Amino acid sequence: MTGSMPVPLRRLTTRLLLAVSVPLFLVTAMLLPVLHVHMETRINGLHTEARAVLKAGQEALTRDVNESLNSVLALAEMPALRHYLATHNTPTLIEQRYSLSEVTQLSHFLDTIISHHPRYTKLVLIDNQGNEVLRAPQSVAPGAQVTGRRHQEMDYFTEANKLLPRDLYLSSLGQDLHYELVDGDTIPVVNVSTPVFDAAGRRQGVVLLSLNWSYLTGALHQAMRLTHEGSALLVNAQGQWLLNNTTLPLGAAHFGVALATLAPAHWQAMAQRHQGFAVIDHQLLYFQTEDIRTQRYRSLAGNIYSDHVYYPWKLGVLLPKPTWRSLIDEETTVLWFLLLIYAVAVAFGVLWAISSQRQRTLRRAAQRHAIEVSDLYEHAPCGYHSLDESGRVVKMNRTELAWLGYSADEVIHRMAYRELITPDTRPAFDKAFRDVLEHKSGSAECSLLTRHGEQRHVMIQASAYHRNGRFVHSRATVFDLTERKQLEEKLREQAMTDPLTGVYNRRYLQTQAAAEIARSRRQHYAIALITIDIDHFKHINDEYGHDAGDDVLQAFTNTVIQLLRQEDLLCRVGGEEFAILLPNTPLAQAVQVAERIRQTVQTAPFKVHEARSERTLWLTASLGVTSVMAAESTLKAALKRADIGLYRAKEQGRNRVVVNDV
């Protein structure tokens, strides 16, 4: 007790304030970069999620619209439908050829199509004079603008009458909105029409198919799988809302409402660019342009016409922007951890202010804290490193060293970081490092080359550390993207492969064909294309079931593969339709390959499982053969020629090879 002096009140107060404020400031300064990185990671995750959701929505919209367009084209080419229209256009010549039973059968067939496809509301057959000759289903009213079942003044009839075979006209989701009463509800519809020609090329009328737009947009919502916090957006070129009634953070939206009125800032951001990203009123807006007239990857249509004023559309995703409050609310563990750190820091400060005897304890605590920080740096889940002005490594944590397979002595002050990056990604790293040297933040997605020759995909984010205005070293955080890259590659492979047969699909065929055509131009060799369709495949599904049909498709695929070379590419392009790309193959040799396939399929037994027994089926196939012209840059024209040959083979009795090289 001797020599101890009471601390003056003012001095004690000052020391207590310092003991509280200094630790709070230091801890905050230490945690802010970590929280900032965490926030950036969260935002990057939202970017990735939004891109995936937009891609899923685009594919769902394109798939449903293309399937509907193909259905219209298929109906327009039905012989029974053409014949029925011909009886109404020239009744004095053919009226006895179509009996009442045939009319009833055709009507029931069309009713079945509409009733089994909820995306359609009605199907109407119109003759050359605009008279309605058949409707499915009969219960659907013709509409307020159609009088006496006559359609001659409607846009879908007048515009379709101007088109060529396999051309389509789409009514616009724009100023003149079309609605129908379906199951007691008034819903918007999109009318799709196409002209009907007979075998001699004479125009016989128009086929009209109305699409249930509420159903299609409902499927779009399902494909995008948005949470309750996110919203999907779809507007036309005039900014009119094209989705069902939706409650958005910015207000209630119903079909046809102007987005410029509901959310002018959002519409202005979407109208100025084809695609992009914007932050508006604490919301993240991602959008891209969609045009169903041109983006028809699987459609068989020739040309698609509509009112260009209302195209293209804008598809978007609206997500709430993460805030520190929302981040802390979601990460309660982080909140408690922060509170614990602050509490400990304040407690140590108060103890230091009250008694100088606690100095040693506080120093030890600081040492332990420094060790923890160092351990956090060395064993963080991400890599850290620092480079000098020449790009030589001056510091690197153990996590990144373990990725590379080197020891610290082998790398630090001995290697330039650029030597650890694969040659093809060095330009991206060089640019990012130049940005750091120019007092800017730099980032690059690169591939690291490990000691054992393996590659590890990473994202590097770096900034410069300066002292007295001079560059000292860079500070970089390295995030491992290897698993994400592997997942992306796996998803890309799945997107290019038919899940049933294991062969590639139409998308991969078109992509690979473009590269093969370019190679053929350089090396001056021929390319041939074969399209195949299994004859009477629908009969197999109807009589033996779809499981038997799947067995046939798999066995058929294995049979054809055994007849091809390693460089030949077999793809499934439809239900029972296949295509074979034959590089370095003249047309005559391709015909021999097609004939060999036809004969093998004709003579090979195909076993299918039916209930508890096994049945042997005998199949035939029709094939179309053509050459890919030297002037063609894509496979579109060649596929069309080969399909024409295939259709001729069908018309000539099936089980044959037809060449169409014109």
Side-chain angles (χ1 to χ4, degrees):
M1 299 297 294
T2 303
S4 62
M5 296 289 295
V7 181
L9 182 59
R10 180 176 297 178
R11 184 178 179 183
L12 179 59
T13 302
T14 302
R15 294 182 67 183
L16 286 173
L17 289 174
L18 290 174
V20 172
S21 60
V22 171
L24 288 177
F25 175 78
L26 293 177
V27 172
T28 301
M30 179 189 68
L31 292 177
L32 275 179
V34 177
L35 294 176
H36 180 68
V37 170
H38 193 43
M39 176 64 77
E40 288 185 345
T41 302
R42 176 65 185 279
I43 293 177
N44 290 336
L46 287 177
H47 289 332
T48 303
E49 178 186 356
R51 285 192 294 269
V53 168
L54 281 176
K55 182 179 180 182
Q58 178 194 38
E59 291 180 349
L61 183 63
T62 303
R63 180 186 61 249
D64 289 341
V65 171
N66 284 340
E67 288 179 0
S68 302
L69 300 183
N70 290 337
S71 297
V72 177
L73 294 175
L75 288 168
E77 294 180 358
M78 283 180 56
L81 185 145
R82 291 177 174 178
H83 181 47
Y84 184 74
L85 274 175
T87 63
H88 285 265
N89 287 320
T90 55
T92 58
L93 299 178
I94 330 173
E95 61 183 357
Q96 300 303 324
R97 298 186 185 178
Y98 222 93
S99 64
L100 179 61
S101 63
E102 290 174 317
V103 174
T104 303
Q105 184 178 5
L106 178 60
S107 179
H108 287 171
F109 173 74
L110 297 179
D111 282 345
T112 302
I113 292 178
I114 299 301
S115 62
H116 283 74
H117 294 81
R119 72 163 65 95
Y120 308 141
T121 63
K122 72 174 182 298
L123 185 148
V124 180
L125 270 168
I126 308 170
D127 64 15
N128 286 332
Q129 288 72 41
N131 299 317
E132 179 177 321
V133 299
L134 192 62
R135 171 180 291 263
Q138 292 291 337
S139 59
V140 176
Q145 295 177 310
V146 179
T147 59
R149 301 278 183 175
R150 292 182 59 79
H151 303 258
Q152 69 272 27
E153 301 298 330
M154 303 305 295
D155 61 335
Y156 51 76
F157 176 76
T158 58
E159 295 298 328
N161 260 339
K162 306 174 185 176
L163 303 182
L164 298 175
R166 304 192 72 80
D167 287 349
L168 292 168
Y169 173 76
L170 272 72
S171 64
S172 301
L173 282 168
Q175 183 177 3
D176 297 323
L177 304 177
H178 297 273
Y179 293 86
E180 286 185 2
L181 185 65
V182 177
D183 296 332
D185 295 327
T186 302
I187 62 171
V189 298
V190 177
N191 290 319
V192 184
S193 59
T194 186
V196 179
F197 293 83
D198 60 15
R202 293 185 296 266
R203 191 181 299 270
Q204 296 298 331
V206 172
V207 172
L208 168 67
L209 186 65
S210 296
L211 308 184
N212 185 335
W213 188 246
S214 296
Y215 178 85
L216 291 178
T217 54
L220 177 66
H221 273 292
Q222 179 65 24
M224 296 178 77
R225 293 188 180 90
L226 289 170
T227 64
H228 65 282
E229 297 179 346
S231 303
L233 294 86
L234 183 64
V235 296
N236 63 18
Q238 300 299 317
Q240 292 176 296
W241 189 260
L242 299 183
L243 296 178
N244 299 330
N245 294 343
T246 307
T247 301
L248 301 174
L250 41 90
H254 57 83
F255 186 82
V257 71
L259 187 63
T261 303
L262 182 64
H266 295 72
W267 170 240
Q268 184 178 8
M270 298 174 69
Q272 292 175 348
R273 293 177 290 170
H274 289 290
Q275 63 181 10
F277 156 74
V279 180
I280 304 173
D281 297 334
H282 304 291
Q283 295 171 340
L284 302 180
L285 173 63
Y286 306 83
F287 62 92
Q288 64 187 34
T289 300
E290 297 297 329
D291 195 337
I292 62 175
R293 301 171 302 172
T294 58
Q295 295 173 341
R296 50 183 189 277
Y297 307 119
R298 300 182 182 90
S299 173
L300 300 177
N303 294 294
I304 300 178
Y305 299 90
S306 189
D307 191 345
H308 65 87
V309 175
Y310 301 102
Y311 292 92
W313 299 343
K314 294 294 177 66
L315 176 66
V317 176
L318 193 64
L319 298 173
K321 180 183 179 182
T323 62
W324 294 113
R325 175 68 179 272
S326 64
L327 191 64
I328 292 176
D329 289 343
E330 294 175 4
E331 302 288 347
T332 55
T333 304
V334 175
L335 175 61
W336 285 108
F337 179 70
L338 293 177
L339 292 176
L340 178 62
I341 290 180
Y342 282 122
V344 171
V346 171
F348 275 121
V350 172
L351 290 176
W352 170 83
I354 294 176
S355 175
S356 60
Q357 297 297 326
R358 301 291 295 176
Q359 291 295 324
R360 186 177 181 181
T361 303
L362 290 176
R363 285 195 298 270
R364 289 180 178 177
Q367 291 174 355
R368 289 196 300 269
H369 185 68
I371 292 173
E372 291 174 359
V373 172
S374 176
D375 185 71
L376 177 63
Y377 173 85
E378 294 292 344
H379 301 96
C382 55
Y384 294 106
H385 66 257
S386 298
L387 309 180
D388 62 17
E389 194 169 9
S390 65
R392 190 173 297 275
V393 180
V394 296
K395 194 173 184 181
M396 182 177 288
N397 71 344
R398 296 182 182 179
T399 300
E400 191 169 359
L401 288 170
W403 290 349
L404 296 169
Y406 291 100
S407 65
D409 294 338
E410 293 175 309
V411 176
I412 297 176
H413 299 297
R414 292 181 179 273
M415 297 181 66
Y417 195 81
R418 191 174 185 273
E419 300 174 11
L420 301 171
I421 297 178
T422 57
D424 56 323
T425 60
R426 283 177 185 170
F429 169 78
D430 293 339
K431 181 182 180 304
F433 190 62
R434 284 195 300 270
D435 290 341
V436 173
L437 294 177
E438 294 172 0
H439 307 276
K440 297 184 293 187
S441 296
S443 63
E445 189 169 332
C446 305
S447 295
L448 298 180
L449 191 63
T450 68
R451 174 195 287 271
H452 305 294
E454 300 173 350
Q455 292 189 16
R456 183 178 288 267
H457 302 286
V458 297
M459 170 62 75
I460 303 175
Q461 296 179 342
S463 61
Y465 173 70
H466 298 86
R467 183 183 299 135
N468 298 327
R470 298 185 61 185
F471 178 88
V472 179
H473 57 74
S474 68
R475 296 181 293 191
T477 306
V478 185
F479 300 96
D480 187 5
L481 305 179
T482 303
E483 292 185 0
R484 193 195 77 181
K485 289 289 186 180
Q486 292 173 348
L487 178 59
E488 290 176 353
E489 182 63 25
K490 183 176 180 181
L491 292 175
R492 189 191 69 82
E493 182 179 348
Q494 290 177 349
M496 294 293 186
T497 305
D498 175 48
L500 175 63
T501 61
V503 299
Y504 290 111
N505 58 18
R506 178 185 287 267
R507 180 183 300 177
Y508 182 83
L509 173 65
Q510 294 174 337
T511 302
Q512 191 67 17
E516 194 62 50
I517 291 171
R519 189 180 301 113
S520 70
R521 286 203 193 99
R522 296 192 303 268
Q523 301 179 8
H524 305 290
Y525 61 76
I527 303 177
L529 179 69
I530 302 174
T531 56
I532 311 173
D533 187 275
I534 302 175
D535 295 333
H536 302 296
F537 184 76
K538 183 178 183 302
H539 174 73
I540 296 175
N541 280 335
D542 294 342
E543 183 169 348
Y544 304 105
H546 288 280
D547 290 341
D550 292 345
D551 292 342
V552 168
L553 288 174
Q554 292 170 344
F556 178 82
T557 302
N558 294 332
T559 300
V560 175
I561 287 176
Q562 295 175 4
L563 301 174
L564 300 178
R565 303 170 300 181
Q566 185 175 2
E567 62 268 25
D568 297 336
L569 180 62
L570 173 64
C571 299
R572 184 184 179 194
V573 297
E576 69 274 16
E577 298 179 10
F578 295 82
I580 304 174
L581 186 68
L582 302 171
N584 198 15
T585 305
L587 182 62
Q589 185 177 344
V591 173
Q592 295 176 0
V593 174
E595 185 62 30
R596 185 164 62 249
I597 293 174
R598 187 195 66 78
Q599 293 177 359
T600 303
V601 171
Q602 181 182 11
T603 58
F606 291 86
K607 298 186 181 298
V608 297
H609 298 282
E610 182 183 15
R612 297 182 179 180
S613 62
E614 186 177 73
R615 180 182 292 271
T616 299
L617 301 180
W618 300 92
L619 306 178
T620 62
S622 300
L623 300 91
V625 184
T626 189
S627 295
V628 180
M629 305 301 180
E632 295 173 345
S633 59
T634 68
L635 205 61
K636 181 178 179 180
L639 272 173
K640 188 172 183 179
R641 290 195 302 272
D643 283 342
I644 291 174
L646 176 61
Y647 296 150
R648 291 175 180 172
K650 293 284 189 181
E651 292 173 352
Q652 295 173 12
R654 297 184 173 86
N655 190 22
R656 63 190 64 231
V657 176
V658 173
V659 178
N660 181 32
D661 203 33
V662 179

